[in-house]
Amino acid sequence: MEFSLRTADATTAKTACLVIVAAEGKLTGVANAVDKATNGTLTALVKSGDFSGKKGEQLLLPVTNGLGAQRVLLVGAGKDALNDQGFIKLVKAAAKKLVALKVKDALLCVEDLDVTGRDMAWRAQQAARLCGEAVYQFTKFKSKKPPKVALKKVTLQSSKGSATIKNALANGRAIASGVNLARELGDLPGNACDPSYMATRGRAFAKNNPKVTTKVLDEKQMKALGMNSLLSVSAGSDNPGKTVIVEYKGGKKTDKPVVLIGKGVTFDSGGISLKPGQSMDEMKYDMGGSATVYGTMQTVIEMGLPINLVAIVGCVENMPSGKATKPGDIVTSMSGLTIEVLNTDAEGRLVLCDCMTYAERYKPQAVIDVATLTGAIIIGLGHHPTAIYSNNDELSEQLVAAGNESADRGWPMPLWDEYGEELKSPFADLQNIGAGRAGGSITAAAFLAKFATKYNWAHLDIAGTFWNSGANKGATGRPVPMLVEYLSKVAK
Ligand code: BES
Ligand code: MN
Ligand code: ZN
């Protein structure tokens, strides 16, 4: 996908589709110019009641006498100012329509929208991201391939051109690229995307890129490091676990890196604590943390951010077998803490904790783990925000702010000692679940907190945000936009 900026009059633009917005009850800016150039077509449509400007309304005008465009997509902007999500909804729907229309290019005019507190640069970045996301297709396993999306070029209309807006378009494009990588990895089934496949994709970052190196730890190497907690999860699977480490050196040698850790459970059956069958297929998405860590790495590389970034993804399959870990088994983690595994379905934390100890060697400025960790967070927050936990208030606030700025929101959660106390085991240093189901996402985070003793750390529970179920089943790629925004601020 290609993005560019146009400052000349929109009415003369040669484009397959001119996308314009019109508020309810008034024609201003580009809509007004288009109305004038087309001999009052829009005024007539409003008068006849064929277009009212209601928020979300769309009307395609196939005839465009007086314009350079081959067709016009009229989008209703409503009466009131839009918030971020309102803007996104309109642009997303317009992009979807452009894909359905099979046009090769379009000119998008969103400057006249009243978006509270958001300048053209913000709109440009979001528009590029949303158009980039709209062309995502996952057709790998269809024997009859649906046609490739035609949309190749989107131009943004702006009365003023600037390097800032051009840069915002490039950033939006890079974010969409990372989001789409995360979606692709998420949508791949467990028999295609297993730990070895994740290792292959991790190695690809380092190809032809002197700033990137990839290291893959196999089970033998992990055993030597003492990563027995992670290994206890892959014990039941015939596919060996892998920890993949991707290092990007875009900053100065002396800059402390940010470490991103991803939960990479390529399929979570629950292990011996087997899950019920209902929707179990969706547990192919249990590597969403790793997918979004890879997606973020992809975007950071494309943007060339001047930071040092390390991605550590713990990739395993959680399966039941004669070799699988059993409830009651006790394992010694890399940190030395012993863990009583009371439920083999609480496996994500067992994977992450060893990756967290491994991360200590980087003396990082911050460590952020990303994980589809608990069903409980969906009960608590639903599917709208990513849950944010942290042992450092400033880091937590930075992530909340990054979520707001990128419109990929997160919400802070508590991490009080009381939650951690539920993890006391009669036989080991820790048990891997809390006293009951109550506060399940928080006790999971409290478990991880026990391993974050050497650095500032945050944990993102993305169980509610990484994928959609139902008719729109598919990965979202969240929270790549939030993480990229956070890292962009680190770079400054
Ligand atoms: N991968 C799941 C969490 C999950 C479940 C995410 C459903 C999205 C939808 C995780 O490994 C898990 O099974 N967690 C258990 C923990 C429990 C056994 C303490 C859960 O949430 O039920
Ligand atoms: Mn599980
Ligand atoms: Zn899981």
Side-chain angles (χ1 to χ4, degrees):
M1 205 49 163
E2 209 188 300
F3 296 98
S4 59
L5 190 63
R6 178 186 167 97
T7 51
D9 181 10
T11 60
T12 58
K14 298 256 177 292
T15 173
C17 189
L18 173 64
V19 183
I20 63 173
V21 297
E24 220 170 325
K26 58 174 184 242
L27 293 175
T28 58
V30 176
N32 191 39
V34 167
D35 191 45
K36 291 230 163 78
T38 58
N39 215 352
T41 303
L42 302 193
T43 305
L45 286 167
V46 171
K47 214 172 167 188
S48 67
D50 287 306
F51 182 79
S52 66
K54 259 211 206 78
K55 190 158 81 182
E57 190 179 357
Q58 285 187 349
L59 185 66
L60 184 74
L61 312 180
V63 192
T64 55
N65 292 340
L67 300 175
Q70 287 164 22
R71 49 182 81 64
V72 174
L73 179 63
L74 243 180
V75 175
K79 267 199 204 103
D80 309 317
L82 297 168
N83 61 16
D84 294 354
Q85 297 302 322
F87 173 84
I88 285 169
K89 220 169 148 185
L90 285 192
V91 176
K92 214 175 176 173
K96 198 173 164 191
K97 183 77 181 174
L98 291 173
V99 171
L101 287 170
K102 301 188 169 70
V103 292
K104 285 202 185 75
D105 70 289
L107 178 65
L108 191 59
C109 309
V110 293
E111 195 171 23
D112 299 326
L113 284 173
D114 186 5
V115 194
T116 309
R118 296 306 190 185
D119 60 12
M120 247 342 252
W122 186 88
R123 297 171 196 209
Q125 179 167 321
Q126 288 294 337
R129 163 172 88 96
L130 294 164
C131 291
E133 288 180 17
V135 300
Y136 172 78
Q137 285 179 296
F138 187 77
T139 60
K140 198 167 179 202
F141 296 94
K142 296 278 190 195
S143 55
K144 283 205 190 77
K145 301 280 180 229
K148 283 231 160 70
V149 169
L151 190 63
K152 286 275 161 338
K153 188 171 174 353
V154 172
T155 306
L156 187 79
Q157 177 75 28
S158 171
S159 55
K160 279 179 243 120
S162 74
T164 316
I165 299 175
K166 281 192 188 142
N167 202 31
L169 286 172
N171 290 347
R173 178 178 191 264
I175 293 166
S177 155
V179 165
N180 288 345
L181 170 67
R183 291 164 83 188
E184 186 213 336
L185 291 171
D187 287 335
L188 281 168
N191 63 338
C193 180
D194 60 12
S196 301
Y197 182 80
M198 287 296 285
T200 305
R201 296 296 294 257
R203 283 195 192 95
F205 286 113
K207 285 213 182 95
N208 308 318
N209 194 332
K211 287 184 180 159
V212 182
T213 48
T214 301
K215 188 158 63 188
V216 178
L217 304 177
D218 62 20
E219 291 201 339
K220 196 171 149 215
Q221 290 166 302
M222 289 192 275
K223 181 92 206 140
L225 284 163
M227 298 173 81
N228 300 304
S229 180
L230 182 150
L231 289 169
S232 78
V233 180
S234 67
S237 170
D238 289 344
N239 290 322
K242 310 269 180 200
T243 293
V244 189
I245 302 129
V246 184
E247 298 180 14
Y248 164 76
K249 293 197 176 72
K252 292 195 213 82
K253 254 209 175 93
T254 51
D255 291 345
K256 287 182 164 181
V258 172
V259 175
L260 300 178
I261 295 176
K263 171 177 174 182
V265 177
T266 57
F267 188 75
D268 180 12
S269 71
I272 296 299
S273 312
L274 194 65
K275 285 181 179 297
Q278 174 88 0
S279 302
M280 208 209 266
D281 66 290
E282 296 190 3
M283 283 299 112
K284 72 173 183 177
Y285 290 119
D286 213 19
M287 33 56 74
S290 289
T292 55
V293 165
Y294 275 0
T296 303
M297 180 58 84
Q298 164 95 1
T299 301
V300 165
I301 292 171
E302 258 182 66
M303 287 171 67
L305 277 186
I307 55 166
N308 295 327
L309 180 67
V310 179
I312 304 176
V313 300
C315 301
V316 294
E317 221 177 49
N318 187 22
M319 297 291 279
S321 83
K323 293 210 172 66
T325 298
K326 304 168 289 297
D329 284 2
I330 296 176
V331 297
T332 304
S333 67
M334 186 177 174
S335 74
L337 286 173
T338 58
I339 305 164
E340 186 185 13
V341 181
L342 289 181
N343 189 320
T344 65
D345 197 13
E347 84 297 341
R349 60 201 81 179
L350 298 174
V351 172
L352 293 169
C353 72
D354 278 344
C355 293
M356 288 171 69
T357 303
Y358 188 89
E360 288 174 0
R361 68 187 56 205
Y362 291 100
K363 300 192 168 45
Q365 57 168 302
V367 173
I368 303 169
D369 80 73
V370 193
T372 50
L373 203 62
T374 64
I377 198 59
I378 308 175
I379 306 299
L381 294 179
H383 293 285
H384 303 297
T386 288
I388 300 174
Y389 296 88
S390 183
N391 62 6
N392 180 279
D393 287 342
E394 196 188 345
L395 178 56
S396 174
E397 281 157 23
Q398 285 165 344
L399 287 166
V400 172
N404 289 337
E405 183 62 22
S406 61
D408 175 15
R409 288 180 292 186
W411 195 253
M413 299 286 290
L415 254 187
W416 300 324
D417 293 343
E418 288 86 333
Y419 295 103
E421 280 157 21
E422 286 188 39
L423 302 167
K424 283 195 180 122
S425 156
F427 305 116
D429 299 338
L430 277 176
Q431 58 186 42
N432 79 328
I433 53 172
R437 278 155 45 96
S441 171
I442 315 179
T443 50
F447 178 93
L448 297 177
K450 307 257 184 215
F451 298 84
T453 52
K454 303 241 163 72
Y455 43 65
N456 293 330
W457 156 81
H459 156 60
L460 305 179
D461 194 335
I462 59 167
T465 48
F466 179 66
W467 79 93
N468 294 314
S469 307
N472 285 325
K473 193 188 276 185
T476 61
R478 292 180 66 187
V480 170
M482 178 206 286
L483 288 169
V484 170
E485 181 61 35
Y486 164 78
L487 293 169
S488 303
K489 287 275 144 59
V490 168
K492 276 182 192 152

